[in-house]
Amino acid sequence: MWYFVSPQIVFGEGALDTISELEGRRALIVTDATLVQQGLADKVKARLAEAGMEAHLFDEVESDPSVQTVYHGARIAQEVAPDWIVGLGGGSPMDAAKAIWVLYERPDLEPAAINPLIKLGLRQKARLITIPTTSGTGAEATWAIVLTDTEEQRKMGLGNRECAADIAIVDPEMARGMPPRLTADTGLDALTHAVEAYTCTWHTDMTDGLCVSATRTIFQHLPRAVDDGSDMEARTKMHHAATCAGLGFGNAMASMAHAMGHVLGAVFHIPHGRAVALFLPYTIEFAAREAPERFADLAVLTGLSTAGGDKAAGALATSVRDLCRAVGNPTSVAAAGVERETYEKRMDKLVDDALNDTQMVTCQRFPSYEELRQLFLYAYEGKPVDF
């Protein structure tokens, strides 16, 4: 038995205009200061005004939102008493919006208590809209929440199926202003979602198709979106692929590259998409040594290989590295700017936290402590996995 959870998705040019059709009195927009400066929050506020709603702004979400930020946003929500909470931005504002929504509805909970096994009873006070301004995280379509515990320097994977948005507004125009580096990082995040959701042990027939489509589209269109941000065909294709990949991994799971990327990002502040994509080819090689079938299938279905078995799985890992290089992203931890001495000093924490990450449970090949340590070292050096 499995569940498939999705918000109502409004996709394409002009999708943002559907906000003006909503009913309600007040809305709280959860976003960051950059998107306010770029005028994207004003576009949302204008359409909320057309709907007759009073719009309030919480624009203090940082990259990798902290528990403290969520508590602050929840206090604002209690004061505003919104009928709608709007998560506007990349994964950080949308994840923060989900958590703020939960604490607004359930002030008796701590963020760490948000898990799939409890009944939250949401939608008594408000409903949730997600509006992505990047093409990568897929957070608009998932019920997952990633928050950072700044004291422990670790990311917490939280979520509950009730946390899926009521409406996801996926308008490619909202991603037009992404700079090349952000386009590359978020696009590679989407690729990692699609690859891991297809190859993890919790994949389903329904998620498989979404992941194959997203993987193929990202290989074809990400370099174009990075090279020319005004190429709206590439922007539209990437925005669509990111949401498909979000639906894929949101209803299957991610896997080892996310577990390793989470801890690298938390400890060394590497952007999320850059971190998970960096580890992806190493984890493919590691898992495919014992279970190559899913990796080989994906390589063949997306046109990356005409071979089968180990050769096709290897072609998938090689293609990921080639795409990273094509868009200017690192393929090793060293190239990401992390000093080796510092990296090795934090190795025990990296391995411990990765092993305890929720995304580890779906690995095709679960690593031992020593194997994971070795994998972190191979990824530092950029060395293909041979164990």
Side-chain angles (χ1 to χ4, degrees), residues 130-165:
T130 47
I131 307 173
T133 61
T134 65
S135 303
T137 70
E140 67 275 7
T142 74
W143 47 268
I145 301 170
V146 179
L147 301 180
T148 298
D149 183 329
T150 54
E151 292 183 2
E152 295 290 332
Q153 286 191 305
R154 67 184 181 94
K155 292 189 177 183
M156 301 187 300
L158 312 170
N160 182 290
R161 283 189 291 273
E162 294 180 48
C163 296

Side-chain angles (χ1 to χ4, degrees), residues 339-378:
E339 293 184 358
R340 186 178 189 110
E341 182 179 358
T342 307
Y343 188 71
E344 291 184 348
K345 283 182 178 178
R346 304 308 301 275
M347 185 59 67
D348 287 344
K349 178 175 177 58
L350 294 173
V351 177
D352 287 340
D353 286 358
L355 282 172
N356 287 309
D357 191 282
T358 56
Q359 305 305 306
M360 270 292 192
V361 302
T362 62
C363 298
Q364 290 281 359
R365 176 189 176 192
F366 198 90
S368 67
Y369 188 95
E370 287 305 318
E371 285 172 334
L372 187 56
R373 186 182 187 90
Q374 192 171 3
L375 202 56
F376 270 111
L377 290 173
Y378 270 49

Side-chain angles (χ1 to χ4, degrees), residues 19-35:
I19 294 174
S20 61
E21 302 170 6
L22 300 175
E23 295 182 358
R25 296 167 298 171
R26 288 180 295 277
L28 176 66
I29 302 170
V30 178
T31 188
D32 61 48
T34 298
L35 295 179

